[in-house]
Amino acid sequence: MATRTTRTARGVKPVGYDPSQYPAFAVTVDVVILTMVDGELHVLLVRRAHDPFAGMWAIPGGFKLPTETLDAAASRELAEETGVDAASLLAQFGAYGDPERDPRMNVVTVGYVAVLRDVGAIEAGSDAAEAELHPVLDVLAGRIELAFDHLRIIGDAIARVRTDLEVTGIATAFVGPTFTLAELRAVYEAVWGVQLDSANFRRSVASEQGWVIPTGRRAPSGAAGGKPAELFKAGAAWKQGGPIRRPRSSKRGA
Amino acid sequence: MATRTTRTARGVKPVGYDPSQYPAFAVTVDVVILTMVDGELHVLLVRRAHDPFAGMWAIPGGFKLPTETLDAAASRELAEETGVDAASLLAQFGAYGDPERDPRMNVVTVGYVAVLRDVGAIEAGSDAAEAELHPVLDVLAGRIELAFDHLRIIGDAIARVRTDLEVTGIATAFVGPTFTLAELRAVYEAVWGVQLDSANFRRSVASEQGWVIPTGRRAPSGAAGGKPAELFKAGAAWKQGGPIRRPRSSKRGA
DNA sequence: GTTGTTCTGGTCGCCATGACCAGAACCATA
DNA sequence: TATGGTTCTGGTCATGGCGACCAGAACAAC
């Protein structure tokens, strides 16, 4: 049989080998769950019930089991917290192992970021009393006290999403199954903190074949009236780079 | 089966807390060391002396100590293997924890990539009999048998460098303290597998202020003659994005 | 109807960039 | 020395992407 890339030599143990001679760590996965609320980027936080950091906010996470992969652990945690089964939306972005990041023991955690569209599902799956969505701007500004090194972890997750928004088509994951171009544009504007021209945005999106698909229907007008917007749905071309590039510098910025 | 979820593990410290009730892992760091040899991208591999995977090639790595950060562990491993002290060149790109990636025990490894200019330093620091540079193309094509899941890890490292080359000014890390634009261009061409027009490349580089600095000196001509090239050195503007963008599609490819 | 709003299609101009050319400066030969 | 080959370096030209901007279309509220 041919060589396999991932070798599983189960049972091959060197004679005299002793695992205890190596430092032991606990390994956890933490999931940064991002979503859009009122055109603003929000992150799901849970309030800690016990020490350490009792009463402080934290991102959900849990221990990796020896029998599962890191991706599976993250997927499981996401499902437990939000009831959402969307492993494809999970992206690993970093590992954290500073010696005293957890006062109890040596813990190395692996950070995953999930971008969700359905806010309702989040409330349903988690123990609602302890889970809450917070504006990312508040968190990054330090206005919310976070446990462990979760502020740094969230910051890295945001940075990851910011670049992913440019190199992948991840933007459609933020919005609902059908969406208007204004909603999609709001994702870019919120994540990047920029203003995009709606007409140019439409032109760029339209030029990318198969990224979004018109449904033929129209969304009801908002409270302020206006022409009802065309409704789109996400196309299959998901990963090979979205059509919107992050503007390098604004020249006549308002 | 009765799934007692890890929900308690989320910071809930039960009475009679005992760290040993959580699964123990060994944590390692693996360093993918990349450099340029004869205009081709190479990766440093070491031959394993002991089981598992004795005799096979692997990327250097080692156990993280409880008293050091992940970055420090990677930096230490890099120094031990190559004698190079260049923590700034190290970038973490992924964590790997598949259940049976190491037959001995549960091991989660964190991958770092280092881009080095000085090949000589690599030979000096490592035990030369066991360390060797291999063309990345050979490795990715599967022509070299690698231990563990190191093929996947190397692949991810390459992918990381490919994108970093566009969004950071990392290219100057591949070349020597002084370099010609042809050498710098070769880095892009080797990592991306493209051909870049030398005149256009020069124009783009020159338009970016402070990225490279002319030294006033000139490099000796190569064996084939030709006008001696201007010598540059890396500028201080290191991180905020290089001037060269990866070409999307070639229309009149040679 | 009138006004205000948002959507949607279009034009205009700048500039980044790819393609290409020509001279300059060097090495190797005859 | 002369000539050809090679590489570097400065330049032109045209296309296309993209930002800025405008105007009509289609709705809600008054």
mmCIF file with all atom_site columns, all heavy atoms in Angstrom, chain B residues 182 199 202 218 226-227 230, chain D residues 6-12:
data_model
loop_
_atom_site.group_PDB
_atom_site.id
_atom_site.type_symbol
_atom_site.label_atom_id
_atom_site.label_alt_id
_atom_site.label_comp_id
_atom_site.label_asym_id
_atom_site.label_entity_id
_atom_site.label_seq_id
_atom_site.pdbx_PDB_ins_code
_atom_site.Cartn_x
_atom_site.Cartn_y
_atom_site.Cartn_z
_atom_site.occupancy
_atom_site.B_iso_or_equiv
_atom_site.pdbx_formal_charge
_atom_site.auth_seq_id
_atom_site.auth_comp_id
_atom_site.auth_asym_id
_atom_site.auth_atom_id
_atom_site.pdbx_PDB_model_num
ATOM 1   N N     . ALA B 1 182 ? 16.803 42.156 -8.837  1.00 0.00 ? 182 ALA B N     1
ATOM 2   C CA    . ALA B 1 182 ? 16.586 40.847 -9.463  1.00 0.00 ? 182 ALA B CA    1
ATOM 3   C C     . ALA B 1 182 ? 16.459 39.762 -8.407  1.00 0.00 ? 182 ALA B C     1
ATOM 4   O O     . ALA B 1 182 ? 15.617 38.870 -8.524  1.00 0.00 ? 182 ALA B O     1
ATOM 5   C CB    . ALA B 1 182 ? 17.726 40.530 -10.415 1.00 0.00 ? 182 ALA B CB    1
ATOM 6   N N     . ALA B 1 199 ? 11.191 45.445 -15.361 1.00 0.00 ? 199 ALA B N     1
ATOM 7   C CA    . ALA B 1 199 ? 11.036 46.902 -15.407 1.00 0.00 ? 199 ALA B CA    1
ATOM 8   C C     . ALA B 1 199 ? 9.834  47.344 -14.584 1.00 0.00 ? 199 ALA B C     1
ATOM 9   O O     . ALA B 1 199 ? 9.922  48.306 -13.813 1.00 0.00 ? 199 ALA B O     1
ATOM 10  C CB    . ALA B 1 199 ? 10.880 47.357 -16.861 1.00 0.00 ? 199 ALA B CB    1
ATOM 11  N N     . ARG B 1 202 ? 10.641 47.069 -10.893 1.00 0.00 ? 202 ARG B N     1
ATOM 12  C CA    . ARG B 1 202 ? 11.439 48.197 -10.416 1.00 0.00 ? 202 ARG B CA    1
ATOM 13  C C     . ARG B 1 202 ? 10.559 49.425 -10.193 1.00 0.00 ? 202 ARG B C     1
ATOM 14  O O     . ARG B 1 202 ? 10.699 50.124 -9.184  1.00 0.00 ? 202 ARG B O     1
ATOM 15  C CB    . ARG B 1 202 ? 12.514 48.531 -11.444 1.00 0.00 ? 202 ARG B CB    1
ATOM 16  C CG    . ARG B 1 202 ? 13.128 49.923 -11.298 1.00 0.00 ? 202 ARG B CG    1
ATOM 17  C CD    . ARG B 1 202 ? 14.274 50.075 -12.244 1.00 0.00 ? 202 ARG B CD    1
ATOM 18  N NE    . ARG B 1 202 ? 15.360 49.215 -11.827 1.00 0.00 ? 202 ARG B NE    1
ATOM 19  C CZ    . ARG B 1 202 ? 16.349 49.605 -11.014 1.00 0.00 ? 202 ARG B CZ    1
ATOM 20  N NH1   . ARG B 1 202 ? 16.363 50.834 -10.535 1.00 0.00 ? 202 ARG B NH1   1
ATOM 21  N NH2   . ARG B 1 202 ? 17.288 48.768 -10.677 1.00 0.00 ? 202 ARG B NH2   1
ATOM 22  N N     . ARG B 1 218 ? 27.177 48.895 -6.358  1.00 0.00 ? 218 ARG B N     1
ATOM 23  C CA    . ARG B 1 218 ? 26.646 48.005 -7.398  1.00 0.00 ? 218 ARG B CA    1
ATOM 24  C C     . ARG B 1 218 ? 27.168 46.595 -7.187  1.00 0.00 ? 218 ARG B C     1
ATOM 25  O O     . ARG B 1 218 ? 28.285 46.400 -6.729  1.00 0.00 ? 218 ARG B O     1
ATOM 26  C CB    . ARG B 1 218 ? 27.060 48.506 -8.788  1.00 0.00 ? 218 ARG B CB    1
ATOM 27  C CG    . ARG B 1 218 ? 26.292 49.741 -9.203  1.00 0.00 ? 218 ARG B CG    1
ATOM 28  C CD    . ARG B 1 218 ? 26.577 50.137 -10.637 1.00 0.00 ? 218 ARG B CD    1
ATOM 29  N NE    . ARG B 1 218 ? 25.633 51.171 -11.054 1.00 0.00 ? 218 ARG B NE    1
ATOM 30  C CZ    . ARG B 1 218 ? 24.426 50.897 -11.544 1.00 0.00 ? 218 ARG B CZ    1
ATOM 31  N NH1   . ARG B 1 218 ? 24.057 49.650 -11.693 1.00 0.00 ? 218 ARG B NH1   1
ATOM 32  N NH2   . ARG B 1 218 ? 23.629 51.880 -11.895 1.00 0.00 ? 218 ARG B NH2   1
ATOM 33  N N     . GLY B 1 226 ? 26.340 41.284 -18.312 1.00 0.00 ? 226 GLY B N     1
ATOM 34  C CA    . GLY B 1 226 ? 25.216 42.165 -18.071 1.00 0.00 ? 226 GLY B CA    1
ATOM 35  C C     . GLY B 1 226 ? 25.581 43.357 -17.227 1.00 0.00 ? 226 GLY B C     1
ATOM 36  O O     . GLY B 1 226 ? 26.577 43.365 -16.512 1.00 0.00 ? 226 GLY B O     1
ATOM 37  N N     . LYS B 1 227 ? 24.775 44.344 -17.297 1.00 0.00 ? 227 LYS B N     1
ATOM 38  C CA    . LYS B 1 227 ? 25.016 45.560 -16.539 1.00 0.00 ? 227 LYS B CA    1
ATOM 39  C C     . LYS B 1 227 ? 24.931 45.256 -15.047 1.00 0.00 ? 227 LYS B C     1
ATOM 40  O O     . LYS B 1 227 ? 23.980 44.603 -14.608 1.00 0.00 ? 227 LYS B O     1
ATOM 41  C CB    . LYS B 1 227 ? 23.954 46.601 -16.911 1.00 0.00 ? 227 LYS B CB    1
ATOM 42  C CG    . LYS B 1 227 ? 24.082 47.917 -16.169 1.00 0.00 ? 227 LYS B CG    1
ATOM 43  C CD    . LYS B 1 227 ? 23.058 48.910 -16.707 1.00 0.00 ? 227 LYS B CD    1
ATOM 44  C CE    . LYS B 1 227 ? 23.130 50.219 -15.963 1.00 0.00 ? 227 LYS B CE    1
ATOM 45  N NZ    . LYS B 1 227 ? 22.220 51.212 -16.545 1.00 0.00 ? 227 LYS B NZ    1
ATOM 46  N N     . GLU B 1 230 ? 22.101 47.628 -9.290  1.00 0.00 ? 230 GLU B N     1
ATOM 47  C CA    . GLU B 1 230 ? 22.163 48.485 -8.116  1.00 0.00 ? 230 GLU B CA    1
ATOM 48  C C     . GLU B 1 230 ? 21.937 47.645 -6.855  1.00 0.00 ? 230 GLU B C     1
ATOM 49  O O     . GLU B 1 230 ? 21.121 46.725 -6.852  1.00 0.00 ? 230 GLU B O     1
ATOM 50  C CB    . GLU B 1 230 ? 21.057 49.537 -8.236  1.00 0.00 ? 230 GLU B CB    1
ATOM 51  C CG    . GLU B 1 230 ? 21.378 50.875 -7.623  1.00 0.00 ? 230 GLU B CG    1
ATOM 52  C CD    . GLU B 1 230 ? 20.253 51.862 -7.903  1.00 0.00 ? 230 GLU B CD    1
ATOM 53  O OE1   . GLU B 1 230 ? 19.476 51.617 -8.846  1.00 0.00 ? 230 GLU B OE1   1
ATOM 54  O OE2   . GLU B 1 230 ? 20.147 52.849 -7.186  1.00 0.00 ? 230 GLU B OE2   1
ATOM 55  P P     . DT  D 2 6   ? 22.469 35.424 -24.783 1.00 0.00 ? 6   DT  D P     1
ATOM 56  O OP1   . DT  D 2 6   ? 22.419 34.000 -24.402 1.00 0.00 ? 6   DT  D OP1   1
ATOM 57  O OP2   . DT  D 2 6   ? 21.441 36.019 -25.650 1.00 0.00 ? 6   DT  D OP2   1
ATOM 58  O "O5'" . DT  D 2 6   ? 22.523 36.279 -23.449 1.00 0.00 ? 6   DT  D "O5'" 1
ATOM 59  C "C5'" . DT  D 2 6   ? 23.576 36.059 -22.495 1.00 0.00 ? 6   DT  D "C5'" 1
ATOM 60  C "C4'" . DT  D 2 6   ? 23.538 37.151 -21.443 1.00 0.00 ? 6   DT  D "C4'" 1
ATOM 61  O "O4'" . DT  D 2 6   ? 24.027 38.379 -22.018 1.00 0.00 ? 6   DT  D "O4'" 1
ATOM 62  C "C3'" . DT  D 2 6   ? 22.140 37.456 -20.922 1.00 0.00 ? 6   DT  D "C3'" 1
ATOM 63  O "O3'" . DT  D 2 6   ? 22.013 37.021 -19.578 1.00 0.00 ? 6   DT  D "O3'" 1
ATOM 64  C "C2'" . DT  D 2 6   ? 22.007 38.983 -21.031 1.00 0.00 ? 6   DT  D "C2'" 1
ATOM 65  C "C1'" . DT  D 2 6   ? 23.398 39.447 -21.362 1.00 0.00 ? 6   DT  D "C1'" 1
ATOM 66  N N1    . DT  D 2 6   ? 23.400 40.625 -22.274 1.00 0.00 ? 6   DT  D N1    1
ATOM 67  C C2    . DT  D 2 6   ? 23.953 41.803 -21.838 1.00 0.00 ? 6   DT  D C2    1
ATOM 68  O O2    . DT  D 2 6   ? 24.448 41.929 -20.750 1.00 0.00 ? 6   DT  D O2    1
ATOM 69  N N3    . DT  D 2 6   ? 23.890 42.825 -22.743 1.00 0.00 ? 6   DT  D N3    1
ATOM 70  C C4    . DT  D 2 6   ? 23.348 42.784 -24.020 1.00 0.00 ? 6   DT  D C4    1
ATOM 71  O O4    . DT  D 2 6   ? 23.344 43.772 -24.744 1.00 0.00 ? 6   DT  D O4    1
ATOM 72  C C5    . DT  D 2 6   ? 22.782 41.523 -24.408 1.00 0.00 ? 6   DT  D C5    1
ATOM 73  C C7    . DT  D 2 6   ? 22.154 41.369 -25.768 1.00 0.00 ? 6   DT  D C7    1
ATOM 74  C C6    . DT  D 2 6   ? 22.832 40.507 -23.525 1.00 0.00 ? 6   DT  D C6    1
ATOM 75  P P     . DT  D 2 7   ? 20.572 37.103 -18.866 1.00 0.00 ? 7   DT  D P     1
ATOM 76  O OP1   . DT  D 2 7   ? 20.501 35.952 -17.970 1.00 0.00 ? 7   DT  D OP1   1
ATOM 77  O OP2   . DT  D 2 7   ? 19.527 37.349 -19.889 1.00 0.00 ? 7   DT  D OP2   1
ATOM 78  O "O5'" . DT  D 2 7   ? 20.705 38.434 -18.001 1.00 0.00 ? 7   DT  D "O5'" 1
ATOM 79  C "C5'" . DT  D 2 7   ? 21.866 38.642 -17.204 1.00 0.00 ? 7   DT  D "C5'" 1
ATOM 80  C "C4'" . DT  D 2 7   ? 21.909 40.087 -16.743 1.00 0.00 ? 7   DT  D "C4'" 1
ATOM 81  O "O4'" . DT  D 2 7   ? 22.161 40.943 -17.887 1.00 0.00 ? 7   DT  D "O4'" 1
ATOM 82  C "C3'" . DT  D 2 7   ? 20.611 40.587 -16.107 1.00 0.00 ? 7   DT  D "C3'" 1
ATOM 83  O "O3'" . DT  D 2 7   ? 20.881 41.188 -14.854 1.00 0.00 ? 7   DT  D "O3'" 1
ATOM 84  C "C2'" . DT  D 2 7   ? 20.075 41.602 -17.104 1.00 0.00 ? 7   DT  D "C2'" 1
ATOM 85  C "C1'" . DT  D 2 7   ? 21.339 42.079 -17.788 1.00 0.00 ? 7   DT  D "C1'" 1
ATOM 86  N N1    . DT  D 2 7   ? 21.110 42.599 -19.148 1.00 0.00 ? 7   DT  D N1    1
ATOM 87  C C2    . DT  D 2 7   ? 21.576 43.852 -19.474 1.00 0.00 ? 7   DT  D C2    1
ATOM 88  O O2    . DT  D 2 7   ? 22.168 44.566 -18.696 1.00 0.00 ? 7   DT  D O2    1
ATOM 89  N N3    . DT  D 2 7   ? 21.311 44.239 -20.767 1.00 0.00 ? 7   DT  D N3    1
ATOM 90  C C4    . DT  D 2 7   ? 20.637 43.519 -21.738 1.00 0.00 ? 7   DT  D C4    1
ATOM 91  O O4    . DT  D 2 7   ? 20.461 43.965 -22.844 1.00 0.00 ? 7   DT  D O4    1
ATOM 92  C C5    . DT  D 2 7   ? 20.189 42.220 -21.326 1.00 0.00 ? 7   DT  D C5    1
ATOM 93  C C7    . DT  D 2 7   ? 19.443 41.351 -22.288 1.00 0.00 ? 7   DT  D C7    1
ATOM 94  C C6    . DT  D 2 7   ? 20.432 41.819 -20.066 1.00 0.00 ? 7   DT  D C6    1
ATOM 95  P P     . DC  D 2 8   ? 19.670 41.608 -13.904 1.00 0.00 ? 8   DC  D P     1
ATOM 96  O OP1   . DC  D 2 8   ? 20.020 41.198 -12.537 1.00 0.00 ? 8   DC  D OP1   1
ATOM 97  O OP2   . DC  D 2 8   ? 18.390 41.193 -14.506 1.00 0.00 ? 8   DC  D OP2   1
ATOM 98  O "O5'" . DC  D 2 8   ? 19.774 43.195 -13.987 1.00 0.00 ? 8   DC  D "O5'" 1
ATOM 99  C "C5'" . DC  D 2 8   ? 20.996 43.810 -13.608 1.00 0.00 ? 8   DC  D "C5'" 1
ATOM 100 C "C4'" . DC  D 2 8   ? 21.048 45.227 -14.139 1.00 0.00 ? 8   DC  D "C4'" 1
ATOM 101 O "O4'" . DC  D 2 8   ? 20.815 45.222 -15.570 1.00 0.00 ? 8   DC  D "O4'" 1
ATOM 102 C "C3'" . DC  D 2 8   ? 20.006 46.186 -13.545 1.00 0.00 ? 8   DC  D "C3'" 1
ATOM 103 O "O3'" . DC  D 2 8   ? 20.660 47.376 -13.146 1.00 0.00 ? 8   DC  D "O3'" 1
ATOM 104 C "C2'" . DC  D 2 8   ? 19.037 46.421 -14.694 1.00 0.00 ? 8   DC  D "C2'" 1
ATOM 105 C "C1'" . DC  D 2 8   ? 19.960 46.293 -15.902 1.00 0.00 ? 8   DC  D "C1'" 1
ATOM 106 N N1    . DC  D 2 8   ? 19.286 45.962 -17.185 1.00 0.00 ? 8   DC  D N1    1
ATOM 107 C C2    . DC  D 2 8   ? 19.299 46.876 -18.237 1.00 0.00 ? 8   DC  D C2    1
ATOM 108 O O2    . DC  D 2 8   ? 19.852 47.968 -18.070 1.00 0.00 ? 8   DC  D O2    1
ATOM 109 N N3    . DC  D 2 8   ? 18.704 46.558 -19.415 1.00 0.00 ? 8   DC  D N3    1
ATOM 110 C C4    . DC  D 2 8   ? 18.115 45.355 -19.549 1.00 0.00 ? 8   DC  D C4    1
ATOM 111 N N4    . DC  D 2 8   ? 17.548 45.080 -20.732 1.00 0.00 ? 8   DC  D N4    1
ATOM 112 C C5    . DC  D 2 8   ? 18.094 44.401 -18.495 1.00 0.00 ? 8   DC  D C5    1
ATOM 113 C C6    . DC  D 2 8   ? 18.684 44.744 -17.342 1.00 0.00 ? 8   DC  D C6    1
ATOM 114 P P     . DT  D 2 9   ? 19.951 48.325 -12.082 1.00 0.00 ? 9   DT  D P     1
ATOM 115 O OP1   . DT  D 2 9   ? 21.034 49.050 -11.396 1.00 0.00 ? 9   DT  D OP1   1
ATOM 116 O OP2   . DT  D 2 9   ? 18.990 47.536 -11.313 1.00 0.00 ? 9   DT  D OP2   1
ATOM 117 O "O5'" . DT  D 2 9   ? 19.162 49.372 -12.991 1.00 0.00 ? 9   DT  D "O5'" 1
ATOM 118 C "C5'" . DT  D 2 9   ? 19.920 50.232 -13.846 1.00 0.00 ? 9   DT  D "C5'" 1
ATOM 119 C "C4'" . DT  D 2 9   ? 19.000 51.027 -14.746 1.00 0.00 ? 9   DT  D "C4'" 1
ATOM 120 O "O4'" . DT  D 2 9   ? 18.536 50.206 -15.847 1.00 0.00 ? 9   DT  D "O4'" 1
ATOM 121 C "C3'" . DT  D 2 9   ? 17.738 51.596 -14.089 1.00 0.00 ? 9   DT  D "C3'" 1
ATOM 122 O "O3'" . DT  D 2 9   ? 17.675 52.971 -14.346 1.00 0.00 ? 9   DT  D "O3'" 1
ATOM 123 C "C2'" . DT  D 2 9   ? 16.602 50.844 -14.783 1.00 0.00 ? 9   DT  D "C2'" 1
ATOM 124 C "C1'" . DT  D 2 9   ? 17.222 50.584 -16.145 1.00 0.00 ? 9   DT  D "C1'" 1
ATOM 125 N N1    . DT  D 2 9   ? 16.603 49.484 -16.917 1.00 0.00 ? 9   DT  D N1    1
ATOM 126 C C2    . DT  D 2 9   ? 16.351 49.684 -18.255 1.00 0.00 ? 9   DT  D C2    1
ATOM 127 O O2    . DT  D 2 9   ? 16.623 50.716 -18.833 1.00 0.00 ? 9   DT  D O2    1
ATOM 128 N N3    . DT  D 2 9   ? 15.777 48.616 -18.894 1.00 0.00 ? 9   DT  D N3    1
ATOM 129 C C4    . DT  D 2 9   ? 15.431 47.393 -18.336 1.00 0.00 ? 9   DT  D C4    1
ATOM 130 O O4    . DT  D 2 9   ? 14.917 46.509 -19.003 1.00 0.00 ? 9   DT  D O4    1
ATOM 131 C C5    . DT  D 2 9   ? 15.720 47.246 -16.931 1.00 0.00 ? 9   DT  D C5    1
ATOM 132 C C7    . DT  D 2 9   ? 15.387 45.977 -16.222 1.00 0.00 ? 9   DT  D C7    1
ATOM 133 C C6    . DT  D 2 9   ? 16.288 48.292 -16.298 1.00 0.00 ? 9   DT  D C6    1
ATOM 134 P P     . DG  D 2 10  ? 16.828 53.902 -13.405 1.00 0.00 ? 10  DG  D P     1
ATOM 135 O OP1   . DG  D 2 10  ? 17.778 54.690 -12.591 1.00 0.00 ? 10  DG  D OP1   1
ATOM 136 O OP2   . DG  D 2 10  ? 15.780 53.107 -12.741 1.00 0.00 ? 10  DG  D OP2   1
ATOM 137 O "O5'" . DG  D 2 10  ? 16.125 54.880 -14.453 1.00 0.00 ? 10  DG  D "O5'" 1
ATOM 138 C "C5'" . DG  D 2 10  ? 16.879 55.422 -15.537 1.00 0.00 ? 10  DG  D "C5'" 1
ATOM 139 C "C4'" . DG  D 2 10  ? 15.997 55.532 -16.761 1.00 0.00 ? 10  DG  D "C4'" 1
ATOM 140 O "O4'" . DG  D 2 10  ? 15.718 54.197 -17.268 1.00 0.00 ? 10  DG  D "O4'" 1
ATOM 141 C "C3'" . DG  D 2 10  ? 14.630 56.183 -16.520 1.00 0.00 ? 10  DG  D "C3'" 1
ATOM 142 O "O3'" . DG  D 2 10  ? 14.508 57.368 -17.292 1.00 0.00 ? 10  DG  D "O3'" 1
ATOM 143 C "C2'" . DG  D 2 10  ? 13.619 55.123 -16.922 1.00 0.00 ? 10  DG  D "C2'" 1
ATOM 144 C "C1'" . DG  D 2 10  ? 14.434 54.211 -17.832 1.00 0.00 ? 10  DG  D "C1'" 1
ATOM 145 N N9    . DG  D 2 10  ? 13.932 52.848 -17.892 1.00 0.00 ? 10  DG  D N9    1
ATOM 146 C C8    . DG  D 2 10  ? 13.779 51.985 -16.836 1.00 0.00 ? 10  DG  D C8    1
ATOM 147 N N7    . DG  D 2 10  ? 13.303 50.826 -17.195 1.00 0.00 ? 10  DG  D N7    1
ATOM 148 C C5    . DG  D 2 10  ? 13.133 50.928 -18.566 1.00 0.00 ? 10  DG  D C5    1
ATOM 149 C C6    . DG  D 2 10  ? 12.644 49.986 -19.511 1.00 0.00 ? 10  DG  D C6    1
ATOM 150 O O6    . DG  D 2 10  ? 12.256 48.830 -19.305 1.00 0.00 ? 10  DG  D O6    1
ATOM 151 N N1    . DG  D 2 10  ? 12.637 50.503 -20.803 1.00 0.00 ? 10  DG  D N1    1
ATOM 152 C C2    . DG  D 2 10  ? 13.041 51.764 -21.145 1.00 0.00 ? 10  DG  D C2    1
ATOM 153 N N2    . DG  D 2 10  ? 12.962 52.094 -22.429 1.00 0.00 ? 10  DG  D N2    1
ATOM 154 N N3    . DG  D 2 10  ? 13.494 52.663 -20.271 1.00 0.00 ? 10  DG  D N3    1
ATOM 155 C C4    . DG  D 2 10  ? 13.518 52.176 -19.019 1.00 0.00 ? 10  DG  D C4    1
ATOM 156 P P     . DG  D 2 11  ? 13.263 58.318 -17.108 1.00 0.00 ? 11  DG  D P     1
ATOM 157 O OP1   . DG  D 2 11  ? 13.742 59.674 -17.374 1.00 0.00 ? 11  DG  D OP1   1
ATOM 158 O OP2   . DG  D 2 11  ? 12.618 57.993 -15.832 1.00 0.00 ? 11  DG  D OP2   1
ATOM 159 O "O5'" . DG  D 2 11  ? 12.279 57.867 -18.281 1.00 0.00 ? 11  DG  D "O5'" 1
ATOM 160 C "C5'" . DG  D 2 11  ? 12.695 58.016 -19.631 1.00 0.00 ? 11  DG  D "C5'" 1
ATOM 161 C "C4'" . DG  D 2 11  ? 11.789 57.204 -20.541 1.00 0.00 ? 11  DG  D "C4'" 1
ATOM 162 O "O4'" . DG  D 2 11  ? 11.905 55.801 -20.196 1.00 0.00 ? 11  DG  D "O4'" 1
ATOM 163 C "C3'" . DG  D 2 11  ? 10.296 57.483 -20.427 1.00 0.00 ? 11  DG  D "C3'" 1
ATOM 164 O "O3'" . DG  D 2 11  ? 9.935  58.521 -21.342 1.00 0.00 ? 11  DG  D "O3'" 1
ATOM 165 C "C2'" . DG  D 2 11  ? 9.655  56.156 -20.816 1.00 0.00 ? 11  DG  D "C2'" 1
ATOM 166 C "C1'" . DG  D 2 11  ? 10.791 55.149 -20.774 1.00 0.00 ? 11  DG  D "C1'" 1
ATOM 167 N N9    . DG  D 2 11  ? 10.468 53.961 -19.991 1.00 0.00 ? 11  DG  D N9    1
ATOM 168 C C8    . DG  D 2 11  ? 10.656 53.775 -18.641 1.00 0.00 ? 11  DG  D C8    1
ATOM 169 N N7    . DG  D 2 11  ? 10.264 52.607 -18.234 1.00 0.00 ? 11  DG  D N7    1
ATOM 170 C C5    . DG  D 2 11  ? 9.783  51.985 -19.379 1.00 0.00 ? 11  DG  D C5    1
ATOM 171 C C6    . DG  D 2 11  ? 9.220  50.699 -19.561 1.00 0.00 ? 11  DG  D C6    1
ATOM 172 O O6    . DG  D 2 11  ? 9.027  49.824 -18.709 1.00 0.00 ? 11  DG  D O6    1
ATOM 173 N N1    . DG  D 2 11  ? 8.877  50.480 -20.880 1.00 0.00 ? 11  DG  D N1    1
ATOM 174 C C2    . DG  D 2 11  ? 9.044  51.364 -21.901 1.00 0.00 ? 11  DG  D C2    1
ATOM 175 N N2    . DG  D 2 11  ? 8.649  50.977 -23.116 1.00 0.00 ? 11  DG  D N2    1
ATOM 176 N N3    . DG  D 2 11  ? 9.569  52.563 -21.760 1.00 0.00 ? 11  DG  D N3    1
ATOM 177 C C4    . DG  D 2 11  ? 9.912  52.809 -20.479 1.00 0.00 ? 11  DG  D C4    1
ATOM 178 P P     . DT  D 2 12  ? 8.436  59.051 -21.357 1.00 0.00 ? 12  DT  D P     1
ATOM 179 O OP1   . DT  D 2 12  ? 8.463  60.393 -21.949 1.00 0.00 ? 12  DT  D OP1   1
ATOM 180 O OP2   . DT  D 2 12  ? 7.864  58.850 -20.026 1.00 0.00 ? 12  DT  D OP2   1
ATOM 181 O "O5'" . DT  D 2 12  ? 7.695  58.056 -22.366 1.00 0.00 ? 12  DT  D "O5'" 1
ATOM 182 C "C5'" . DT  D 2 12  ? 8.248  57.813 -23.648 1.00 0.00 ? 12  DT  D "C5'" 1
ATOM 183 C "C4'" . DT  D 2 12  ? 7.418  56.763 -24.374 1.00 0.00 ? 12  DT  D "C4'" 1
ATOM 184 O "O4'" . DT  D 2 12  ? 7.495  55.502 -23.662 1.00 0.00 ? 12  DT  D "O4'" 1
ATOM 185 C "C3'" . DT  D 2 12  ? 5.929  57.112 -24.482 1.00 0.00 ? 12  DT  D "C3'" 1
ATOM 186 O "O3'" . DT  D 2 12  ? 5.500  56.917 -25.815 1.00 0.00 ? 12  DT  D "O3'" 1
ATOM 187 C "C2'" . DT  D 2 12  ? 5.260  56.141 -23.522 1.00 0.00 ? 12  DT  D "C2'" 1
ATOM 188 C "C1'" . DT  D 2 12  ? 6.210  54.948 -23.547 1.00 0.00 ? 12  DT  D "C1'" 1
ATOM 189 N N1    . DT  D 2 12  ? 6.189  54.130 -22.304 1.00 0.00 ? 12  DT  D N1    1
ATOM 190 C C2    . DT  D 2 12  ? 5.716  52.839 -22.351 1.00 0.00 ? 12  DT  D C2    1
ATOM 191 O O2    . DT  D 2 12  ? 5.308  52.314 -23.369 1.00 0.00 ? 12  DT  D O2    1
ATOM 192 N N3    . DT  D 2 12  ? 5.734  52.182 -21.153 1.00 0.00 ? 12  DT  D N3    1
ATOM 193 C C4    . DT  D 2 12  ? 6.175  52.677 -19.933 1.00 0.00 ? 12  DT  D C4    1
ATOM 194 O O4    . DT  D 2 12  ? 6.140  51.994 -18.913 1.00 0.00 ? 12  DT  D O4    1
ATOM 195 C C5    . DT  D 2 12  ? 6.641  54.033 -19.954 1.00 0.00 ? 12  DT  D C5    1
ATOM 196 C C7    . DT  D 2 12  ? 7.136  54.672 -18.700 1.00 0.00 ? 12  DT  D C7    1
ATOM 197 C C6    . DT  D 2 12  ? 6.631  54.694 -21.127 1.00 0.00 ? 12  DT  D C6    1
#
